[in-house]
Amino acid sequence: MERGVSFCPLRHITALWCQLFILSSVFIITKTDITCRSCHPQANNKELLELLKMDTLESATGSGGELVRRGDGIRRSDRRRRGEESGRGASPHEAPEKGPLSLVHRRERSASLAGHRLPGSGSDSRWTGEDRRMGAYRQDELKLTSSTFALTGDSTHNQAMVHWSGQNSSVILMLTKLFDFNLGSVTESSLWRSTDYGTTYEKLNEKVGAKTILSYLYVSPNNKRKIMLLTDPDTENSLLISTDEGATYQKYRLNFYILSLLFHPEQEDWILAYSHDQKVSNICISSMELQSLNWHMVRLRGCGKGGDFVKCESRGGRGHRAQYVTCKVQNCTEANKGKPFPGYIDPNSLVVQDEYVFVQVSTGGRPVYYVSYKRDVFVPMKLPKYTLPKDLHVISTDENRVVAAVREWNQNDTYNLYVSEERGVFFTLALENVISSMGPEGNVMIDLYEVAGIKGMFLANKKLENQVKTYITYNKGRDWRLLQAPSTDLRGNSIHCVLPYCSLHLHLHVSENPYTSGTIASKESAPGIIVASGSIGSELTTSNVSMFITSDAGNTWRQIFEEEYSVLYLDQGGALVAIRHTPLPIRHLWLSFDEGRVWNKYSFTSSPLFVDGVLGEPGEETLIMTIFGHVSHRSEWQLVKIDFRSIFNRRCTEGDYQTWHLHNQGEPCIMGVKRIYRKLKPIARCVMGKDYSVTMTSEPCECTESDFECDYGYERRNDGKCVPSFWFSSSSMVRSCTTGNSFLNSTGYRKVVSNNCTAGVIEEYTARKQSCPSRAPKGLHLITSEGKLTAALGTNVTFLVFLEEGDGSKTSIMVDFGDGNAITYSNLSSIEDGIKHVYRNVGIYKVSATGENSLGSETVVLYLHVTCQLEHIYLSAPFVAVKNKEVNLTVVLWPSQVGSVTYIWWFGNNTEPLITLEGSVAFTFSRDGINTVTVQVSAGNTILQDKKTIAVHEYFRSHLLAFSSNLDEHNPDVAEWRFDVSRVIKNSMVEATGISEEQLLVTVLPGLPTAAEFFLLPDKELTEKKSAMRYSSLFFLFSLVHKFLTNSSPKHAVFFSFLLIINTLNTTHKRFCVLLIYQLDA
């Protein structure tokens, strides 16, 4: 089955790596708008891990988890952490430590245990049905076959990655690194290889290059012998490839920096590399032949491979638009890209998982989610009408059904679970108010766990009246119930816990890292066995946490430890291994051969070890295990290999097995069948081996009402019947008639996906196929592919037309684009990809679509604003204005036609703007002095601004100045040049005439030919009458001299001519002087 790949922003390499794992159970969704996770509870890449032993919470590129060393204790800082640690179950005689060993993290709860309180005591003991004594007592120590190897010389290395290919191979690879969190890079590395299941290791630094610093280790999922190593790009940019399980390597130089690699699920020589480019945020690079490293550049944002296609999200230059793009792996070029979704999608919203592709498009502030099933056309996902989602995450797409977590408009810390039919279009509610939390990297964590080995079985933590309770379902969310608590505790004392007031509640967290266990575990090869940490009472708490186990798929539970343990499966579930969570060094572990009923203590090393993590041999058999740890804070990595084969004395025979009937509180029909499994007897102590496979026989059941869930638009009443919701109209389901000749008339029920019941009430509850009625077109919609009402001039605009009711095959569609062009289609099927049109002029266009058949017609109208980019504006305003006299202000646009424009004006000290649709206004200034006019022009997504100052006086005189034409050759017509020349003229006039600077204003006007205007302002020291006489004298002389100068300007030099009038008046006489020429530097 094709596994899902979801893409998150590559702000951290770790955020990308977490997407490369097929994760499980507590579902993790990254902070992009739509993301996804596989529901399978066993990590497929269990042979790859990363260890961290530094006092830091920062994460390096790895499998998604990390260990943090604090003093001599190790705490794993998991990116899926549920909250701060609490109640870590140390024995009463143990001193508390600041850094406890926490291989599991869970959500912090402030509420205390409300219900039965389990007695606390140490758990290093052995229990049987007859002997429930707790506390210390002497027992002959049992020893395991083990060996220890120290990675000498790597004591400073704070990270490690391990690959164990399994598949009958004895090779283990381990990459240790010193990651400098201040520099953000790897500064040292060592590569180790074992060929004897981890008994001894060889250091391979010389083989890869003594000075080569390795930053990452990759393993092909299709060929575990193919290993790839990335070097640290700060020192060497190379990729090393081995085809013999790391024995030898070939180095390839790279001309780009790889952030991470993504392998094709089937073709071992097809990979994608994420890289950086200064012009685009990320690049996907496809290589078809690893041996020749034939790279092909694909400028895209977020990619995944499925079949022969690369499916990517292509980001536009502006960064706020993206498109879903596909191309053939063999020819992934710009010219060969396909765009299956017509239009733009929200960035980081593409999810490709199994047979489904999901995208998100936000329109009017609301997200609309689209799905494509089996690469068919995209259709909107239909949630109940008033769901109004704030956030949606795809949880699972297993078995041709989509499970989605939706945060609705009235939810903050919970999500509702919705399930779909096969196509992933119509969703119904499965469970309300499932607990969620935000991870350290912004990823959403949902408390939902899919049990391995039992199809249709889930566990979920639901918030009910401010209490968190654990619920279980056996039919994919159709019915849920609380868990019955154990009847007795470890001592055999009765537990009084009555449903629904008291029940068992579990922490549903699964670690991303394969070397650490989560708070719950199940296994495909051990159906019915679930081990989890939890508490008994009215709600889930983090205090008084114990370990519980069920052997019958959740019907009954037993308490196995009063503290938290990591529990791992051996021999395909034939034995269980438990390692205690403690801040202290340990040398013991516990083994059970009877599904947790009896536990025996074994020593695995002679010297106590601080445990960092545990890794079992890949595959279901798992009889060899490696424990990673350290003796002290500064010691090297200690690798303890444990071989459990010696404790089994024989191979299992047929007599060692028994049959087990799966049931739900006595009901044998689950998901429409009766299932009988073959399981190992609790008394058998033998090795099942690699040849063992889960054997199940099944018998179909007759269908009953419990095999059906409510169909879309229906909800379940208290009596169990499905009735139409108040908002639902059954006629809306006839919309499928727009593309076909028949539709399914719902009975209000639909069969649970993958339910295999037969006969019974199936005819009564199954939707009936009916012929489409003849109807006039109704509910015609016309939108642009981007969901916008604006378009850029000269670009393709894609219009989408769809019909809610009516026979689409017999309804013609006519689209009038509003610019004199129209087009007609015979039916809807011919325009599924949209209708493209290019507008040649800006403006507002009335676009209409008309659907018509023999029974009637319907028309819908859309007003489209076609615009072009506004590049520059200029505010044309006088430099001087007369007080209380109206002046005209005009904005000039470049280009002059840009579409719909809004003008926003501010005058003087007014804080309230004037908003107009015209580029010219008239305004009257009522205050003397300098006044400021500011205008902003809004066109599309562009806002530009210009500002002018206007001198306002009671009266003034002005005159235009002309210049010789050769000055135009030196006029760049920019504001700075005009300002500088104006300043030169004014300074010269002031110097020559003695007129005060406050009385003189000079401005060079924009445009060609070059012209200027000077303004003579009133002298405040003179009376109004004398000032007026002086103005008259000046301007009379000015006009005479200016006329002479403009007709006799010299031509032998670059200069401009103007008049500077010196008018000196006194009480006895008047004299004046005219300065003819002011010459600039030629």
Side-chain angles (χ1 to χ4, degrees):
M1 181 173 64
E2 177 187 347
R3 304 310 304 169
V5 181
S6 129
F7 300 94
C8 51
L10 302 183
R11 290 179 296 228
H12 306 287
I13 300 176
T14 53
L16 173 64
W17 174 255
C18 72
Q19 306 294 334
L20 305 183
F21 280 92
I22 305 304
L23 302 178
S24 57
S25 72
V26 173
F27 296 91
I28 302 294
I29 302 100
T30 58
K31 68 177 185 179
T32 70
D33 293 301
I34 300 181
T35 55
C36 63
R37 278 292 173 225
S38 166
C39 272
H40 281 275
Q42 298 301 326
N44 288 353
N45 267 356
K46 197 166 186 178
E47 67 275 5
L48 190 62
L49 63 86
E50 179 185 14
L51 304 176
L52 181 70
K53 55 173 188 177
M54 278 291 287
D55 188 8
T56 175
L57 293 180
E58 296 193 48
S59 174
T61 307
S63 62
E66 54 198 33
L67 293 174
V68 180
R69 171 177 291 182
R70 301 185 184 278
D72 282 342
I74 300 294
R75 182 173 70 177
R76 183 168 112 342
S77 173
D78 195 325
R79 287 184 303 202
R80 304 168 77 171
R81 185 175 55 188
R82 297 298 180 89
E84 298 303 319
E85 298 175 26
S86 172
R88 278 298 177 198
S91 296
H93 61 272
E94 294 176 350
E97 295 286 337
K98 294 183 179 180
L101 171 65
S102 170
L103 297 182
V104 180
H105 289 265
R106 59 181 185 275
R107 193 189 317 274
E108 177 71 28
R109 296 287 175 208
S110 58
S112 60
L113 179 66
H116 183 83
R117 185 179 182 88
L118 296 172
S121 74
S123 57
D124 276 357
S125 55
R126 182 186 182 190
W127 303 279
T128 65
E130 295 77 21
D131 185 2
R132 299 282 184 173
R133 290 176 298 151
M134 300 295 295
Y137 64 93
R138 297 189 60 85
Q139 174 183 321
D140 293 337
E141 182 173 86
L142 302 174
K143 295 183 179 180
L144 294 168
T145 302
S146 65
S147 60
T148 301
F149 187 89
L151 302 185
T152 306
D154 289 354
S155 60
T156 61
H157 291 192
N158 52 19
Q159 295 178 355
M161 299 180 66
V162 178
H163 163 63
W164 193 348
S165 62
Q167 300 176 343
N168 297 321
S169 171
S170 60
V171 174
I172 301 176
L173 284 175
M174 185 168 187
L175 173 64
T176 65
K177 302 175 289 183
L178 172 58
F179 187 86
D180 190 319
F181 290 96
N182 294 321
L183 298 177
S185 62
V186 178
T187 57
E188 292 181 18
S189 69
S190 294
L191 183 64
W192 300 83
R193 185 172 186 262
S194 172
T195 58
D196 52 11
Y197 288 99
T199 303
T200 59
Y201 287 82
E202 176 190 5
K203 200 169 188 177
L204 302 182
N205 286 24
E206 294 296 330
K207 289 188 178 182
V208 299
K211 296 183 179 180
T212 299
I213 298 178
L214 303 174
S215 62
Y216 207 78
L217 183 151
Y218 289 96
V219 183
S220 170
N222 306 296
N223 181 0
K224 298 299 177 64
R225 295 178 59 84
K226 183 170 289 184
I227 312 295
M228 296 183 210
L229 298 168
L230 275 180
T231 63
D232 186 81
D234 293 336
T235 57
E236 179 185 353
N237 193 24
S238 300
L239 178 66
L240 289 85
I241 298 179
S242 171
T243 57
D244 53 8
E245 288 190 283
T248 60
Y249 292 89
Q250 186 172 354
K251 183 179 292 187
Y252 298 88
R253 298 287 182 178
L254 301 174
N255 57 4
F256 58 92
Y257 294 123
I258 293 180
L259 292 179
S260 190
L261 297 176
L262 178 65
F263 293 88
H264 191 278
E266 297 173 359
Q267 301 292 336
E268 64 177 83
D269 288 338
W270 289 0
I271 59 173
L272 292 177
Y274 288 85
S275 182
H276 265 319
D277 186 284
Q278 293 181 352
K279 296 180 181 179
V280 293
S281 56
N282 291 285
I283 298 174
C284 293
I285 303 173
S286 173
S287 174
M288 291 181 56
E289 300 176 1
L290 283 179
Q291 299 309 313
S292 61
L293 282 190
N294 182 23
W295 297 99
H296 305 279
M297 189 73 70
V298 186
R299 293 180 179 271
L300 299 167
R301 171 68 175 88
C303 298
K305 280 189 177 180
D308 292 341
F309 281 89
V310 180
K311 305 175 182 68
C312 295
E313 182 180 300
S314 175
R315 180 71 59 83
R318 300 180 190 176
H320 62 276
R321 299 195 305 176
Q323 285 184 296
Y324 169 40
V325 176
T326 63
C327 61
K328 279 278 190 178
V329 176
Q330 296 89 339
N331 191 20
C332 196
T333 63
E334 292 289 335
N336 293 296
K337 291 179 187 175
K339 297 178 181 178
F341 184 81
Y344 291 94
I345 65 176
D346 292 352
N348 303 317
S349 71
L350 172 65
V351 174
V352 181
Q353 186 159 318
D354 294 329
E355 298 290 344
Y356 302 88
V357 180
F358 304 90
V359 297
Q360 172 183 317
V361 179
S362 294
T363 304
R366 285 187 180 180
V368 179
Y369 304 97
Y370 293 84
V371 60
S372 168
Y373 178 58
K374 292 186 175 180
R375 312 311 182 244
D376 202 351
V377 296
F378 281 88
V379 293
M381 296 166 60
K382 299 294 185 181
L383 294 165
K385 186 173 182 180
Y386 294 105
T387 300
L388 304 179
K390 295 189 296 185
D391 192 19
L392 183 147
H393 302 288
V394 175
I395 299 296
S396 167
T397 55
D398 290 338
E399 297 183 327
N400 297 324
R401 177 187 191 145
V402 178
V403 179
V406 179
R407 175 170 288 177
E408 302 189 20
W409 62 274
N410 57 349
Q411 292 179 304
N412 293 317
D413 60 347
T414 60
Y415 280 75
N416 290 346
L417 291 181
Y418 287 87
V419 294
S420 76
E421 30 64 76
E422 183 181 22
R423 294 185 301 131
V425 177
F426 295 101
F427 286 80
T428 58
L429 181 65
L431 186 64
E432 292 183 291
N433 295 319
V434 178
I435 286 297
S436 70
S437 63
M438 192 65 68
E441 294 186 0
N443 50 317
V444 177
M445 299 185 289
I446 308 294
D447 270 19
L448 179 68
Y449 180 81
E450 182 176 8
V451 177
I454 306 293
K455 184 177 68 173
M457 185 175 174
F458 288 83
L459 292 159
N461 282 330
K462 174 182 176 178
K463 190 173 185 180
L464 182 65
E465 298 177 350
N466 292 322
Q467 291 184 324
V468 177
K469 300 174 182 290
T470 300
Y471 288 79
I472 189 170
T473 179
Y474 293 85
N475 52 12
K476 289 195 170 183
R478 197 274 190 194
D479 301 291
W480 298 84
R481 65 171 175 83
L482 293 168
L483 298 180
Q484 177 65 60
S487 58
T488 59
D489 61 15
L490 286 175
R491 292 187 176 87
N493 300 321
S494 296
I495 297 177
H496 183 68
C497 186
V498 180
L499 293 172
Y501 311 102
C502 174
S503 59
L504 174 64
H505 310 286
L506 304 177
H507 295 280
L508 306 179
H509 172 240
V510 170
S511 171
E512 288 186 12
N513 283 338
Y515 62 88
T516 58
S517 69
T519 58
I520 185 168
S522 59
K523 201 172 183 67
E524 289 282 348
S525 60
I529 300 178
I530 309 171
V531 183
S533 65
S535 58
I536 297 175
S538 61
E539 65 174 325
L540 179 67
T541 69
T542 54
S543 59
N544 299 290
V545 175
S546 298
M547 299 299 298
F548 299 90
I549 191 171
T550 176
S551 301
D552 56 6
N555 286 281
T556 60
W557 295 81
R558 303 187 307 275
Q559 185 185 12
I560 55 175
F561 294 103
E562 288 184 331
E563 300 170 282
E564 288 193 84
Y565 278 69
S566 295
V567 179
L568 301 96
Y569 291 74
L570 286 181
D571 189 30
Q572 309 197 60
L576 300 174
V577 178
I579 301 178
R580 185 183 173 198
H581 293 184
T582 174
L584 303 176
I586 60 174
R587 65 185 189 93
H588 295 100
L589 53 76
W590 294 80
L591 274 171
S592 174
F593 303 94
D594 56 1
E595 299 177 343
R597 292 175 176 83
V598 176
W599 292 86
N600 296 286
K601 184 170 69 172
Y602 288 80
S603 65
F604 62 87
T605 180
S606 58
S607 301
L609 190 71
F610 292 97
V611 176
D612 298 328
V614 181
L615 183 67
E617 179 185 6
E620 298 294 334
E621 184 180 16
T622 310
L623 288 174
I624 298 177
M625 183 179 294
T626 299
I627 294 181
F628 303 87
H630 59 282
V631 177
S632 67
H633 178 58
R634 299 186 182 278
S635 68
E636 294 89 355
W637 293 101
Q638 303 288 321
L639 279 60
V640 181
K641 169 194 170 184
I642 304 175
D643 192 339
F644 292 96
R645 289 175 294 186
S646 61
I647 63 176
F648 295 95
N649 51 21
R650 61 183 178 86
R651 303 283 293 190
C652 295
T653 63
E654 191 62 35
D656 294 313
Y657 295 95
Q658 64 181 4
T659 58
W660 170 66
H661 296 253
L662 175 65
H663 66 93
N664 176 14
Q665 294 183 323
E667 172 55 56
C669 289
I670 295 178
M671 294 295 290
V673 295
K674 297 177 181 178
R675 282 175 274 183
I676 303 175
Y677 293 88
R678 187 182 72 154
K679 295 178 63 175
L680 200 63
K681 293 179 180 178
I683 60 173
R685 184 167 174 174
C686 56
V687 176
M688 291 188 287
K690 292 183 173 63
D691 297 331
Y692 170 79
S693 62
V694 177
T695 302
M696 181 193 73
T697 59
S698 61
E699 176 186 344
C701 301
E702 282 196 356
C703 292
T704 65
E705 188 269 342
S706 62
D707 295 307
F708 295 81
E709 61 190 3
C710 291
D711 203 353
Y712 173 77
Y714 292 80
E715 55 189 23
R716 193 176 301 278
R717 295 188 312 198
N718 292 334
D719 61 1
K721 300 297 183 182
C722 295
V723 296
S725 300
F726 74 94
W727 51 266
F728 180 70
S729 173
S730 58
S731 63
S732 63
M733 299 306 293
V734 187
R735 292 176 184 174
S736 59
C737 287
T738 60
T739 57
N741 298 319
S742 63
F743 74 100
L744 293 176
N745 188 14
S746 176
T747 62
Y749 298 84
R750 68 186 186 195
K751 195 176 181 182
V752 175
V753 174
S754 300
N755 186 297
N756 295 318
C757 70
T758 59
V761 299
I762 191 167
E763 293 294 332
E764 178 184 351
Y765 284 87
T766 302
R768 300 170 182 86
K769 190 174 183 178
Q770 294 185 2
S771 299
C772 289
S774 298
R775 293 189 179 186
K778 184 179 179 181
L780 189 65
H781 292 265
L782 173 65
I783 60 172
T784 63
S785 60
E786 297 183 40
K788 298 180 179 179
L789 298 177
T790 61
L793 180 68
T795 61
N796 258 322
V797 183
T798 301
F799 295 97
L800 304 178
V801 181
F802 60 92
L803 190 64
E804 291 186 7
E805 298 181 23
D807 188 351
S809 63
K810 299 179 181 179
T811 300
S812 64
I813 301 294
M814 191 274 287
V815 178
D816 187 337
F817 299 107
D819 61 351
N821 296 301
I823 190 169
T824 301
Y825 297 89
S826 60
N827 53 58
L828 278 175
S829 60
S830 56
I831 55 174
E832 288 181 350
D833 295 332
I835 306 167
K836 292 180 171 56
H837 186 67
V838 178
Y839 288 89
R840 302 301 179 186
N841 298 294
V842 299
I844 303 176
Y845 294 89
K846 179 182 178 181
V847 186
S848 63
T850 301
E852 184 176 6
N853 62 22
S854 60
L855 298 178
S857 64
E858 186 174 63
T859 300
V860 63
V861 174
L862 177 151
Y863 292 94
L864 183 70
H865 295 244
V866 178
T867 63
C868 66
Q869 182 71 29
L870 179 62
E871 299 177 3
H872 179 63
I873 67 170
Y874 173 77
L875 174 59
S876 176
F879 294 90
V880 184
V882 177
K883 180 179 178 182
N884 295 322
K885 186 176 180 179
E886 191 174 78
V887 296
N888 290 321
L889 306 169
T890 302
V891 180
V892 181
L893 309 181
W894 282 275
S896 59
Q897 298 295 323
V898 295
S900 302
V901 178
T902 302
Y903 301 85
I904 309 166
W905 307 80
W906 287 269
F907 301 97
N909 296 323
N910 293 340
T911 57
E912 292 295 328
L914 172 66
I915 301 176
T916 68
L917 298 178
E918 298 293 334
S920 296
V921 296
F923 189 78
T924 301
F925 294 95
S926 59
R927 184 176 61 86
D928 287 336
I930 302 299
N931 287 265
T932 301
V933 178
T934 303
V935 63
Q936 289 184 347
V937 180
S938 174
N941 295 324
T942 303
I943 298 180
L944 299 181
Q945 176 178 299
D946 196 10
K947 181 187 295 185
K948 289 292 187 295
T949 55
I950 300 176
V952 179
H953 295 279
E954 292 285 349
Y955 54 89
F956 64 90
R957 298 297 294 273
S958 66
H959 199 90
L960 292 174
L961 303 179
F963 302 90
S964 55
S965 59
N966 54 358
L967 182 61
D968 294 343
E969 300 175 6
H970 302 272
N971 183 356
D973 196 24
V974 295
E976 292 83 355
W977 186 87
R978 293 192 293 269
F979 176 80
D980 289 337
V981 173
S982 299
R983 177 172 46 80
V984 171
I985 297 173
K986 178 179 178 178
N987 291 342
S988 299
M989 294 178 69
V990 170
E991 182 180 353
T993 65
I995 296 176
S996 170
E997 289 187 5
E998 287 75 17
Q999 283 187 263
L1000 192 62
L1001 291 177
V1002 179
T1003 179
V1004 176
L1005 303 178
L1008 297 173
T1010 308
E1013 186 175 10
F1014 85 88
F1015 301 87
L1016 195 61
L1017 307 179
D1019 189 345
K1020 297 180 180 179
E1021 297 180 359
L1022 299 177
T1023 64
E1024 182 177 344
K1025 181 177 181 180
K1026 290 182 178 181
S1027 181
M1029 291 175 59
R1030 181 176 181 180
Y1031 285 162
S1032 298
S1033 302
L1034 287 170
F1035 277 89
F1036 173 73
L1037 294 169
F1038 174 86
S1039 60
L1040 293 176
V1041 179
H1042 181 257
K1043 182 177 181 181
F1044 167 77
L1045 290 172
T1046 53
N1047 292 326
S1048 57
S1049 297
K1051 300 180 180 179
H1052 61 275
V1054 178
F1055 63 90
F1056 59 84
S1057 302
F1058 57 87
L1059 295 179
L1060 292 178
I1061 302 174
I1062 304 173
N1063 187 13
T1064 304
L1065 299 175
N1066 53 37
T1067 57
T1068 58
H1069 67 278
K1070 178 192 301 180
R1071 62 187 178 84
F1072 62 90
C1073 175
V1074 179
L1075 178 64
L1076 296 180
I1077 297 175
Y1078 178 85
Q1079 183 168 331
L1080 292 174
D1081 184 4

